[in-house]
Amino acid sequence: RAILAWHECKARYRVLSGPNGAGKSTAGAADLVSYAMGYNPIREEEYNTPNVCWAVCVEFNSSGRVMYRKISDMLPRDEQGRPRWTYNKQEHLFEIHNGSQIHLKSQKEGESSLLAERCRAIWIDEAMGGDTGEENFGELQARGLPDEPLDMLFTLTPKMDIGLDWMRRKLWTEPGKEPHPDFI
């Protein structure tokens, strides 16, 4: 029920935090794929396609595999169950039949790994801590398109609080301060 509220929310920055096995990564993948496919049935929103979306993990060899599996489970298949998308492992790139792309990105290399074209939506699964995490966040915010809003989806495990310090400073409300206008 709590995850449904996250899916229904229309805030530009959304954080879903919960324990391992609670469905956070599945929720993040489902929402990200809806942007790439051009329609979100829960929010009844349409998005211009083809477009580019990013799935950002801490590192490819661990959480990147989870992201790949969750995204590939959500992408469309034909009547025989064959994918209506291709995946280029070397480029960490999903190419969907409608022309949209989902790029898998890693935070571990720092902000230089996040320099590239602009995108419509970004799903960050776990936030990297320290200065690297905060720099990465700034670079990710700069990836938005000039004529469309950038939606950022965060799925976090509370015990993985390495990135929560800078996220609180950037997104959460502090006593006496106004919240970031795009955040829930």
Side-chain angles (χ1 to χ4, degrees), residues 54-113:
W54 287 7
V56 181
C57 60
V58 174
E59 65 174 324
F60 290 122
N61 291 332
S62 57
S63 56
R65 291 183 181 143
V66 174
M67 287 186 116
Y68 168 82
R69 189 177 73 250
K70 297 293 183 179
I71 291 168
S72 64
D73 286 348
M74 297 293 166
L75 286 170
R77 296 180 179 272
D78 67 18
E79 297 79 30
Q80 287 76 41
R82 293 182 300 246
R84 295 185 68 198
W85 49 272
T86 57
Y87 182 71
N88 181 323
K89 187 174 182 178
Q90 198 165 19
E91 298 290 323
H92 302 285
L93 170 67
F94 289 93
E95 295 187 75
I96 305 168
H97 70 282
N98 69 357
S100 291
Q101 298 178 341
I102 297 176
H103 297 253
L104 285 177
K105 301 279 187 177
S106 170
Q107 298 177 62
K108 190 171 185 178
E109 291 81 23
E111 65 180 311
S112 64
S113 68

Side-chain angles (χ1 to χ4, degrees), residues 144-176:
L145 298 165
D147 56 340
E148 287 189 65
L150 173 66
D151 288 338
M152 295 180 78
L153 319 166
F154 298 87
T155 52
L156 307 171
T157 305
K159 69 179 183 175
M160 299 284 290
D161 62 355
I162 53 177
L164 290 179
D165 286 340
W166 64 260
M167 288 187 79
R168 280 191 182 98
R169 286 194 310 274
K170 297 282 187 178
L171 300 175
W172 269 279
T173 60
E174 297 293 333

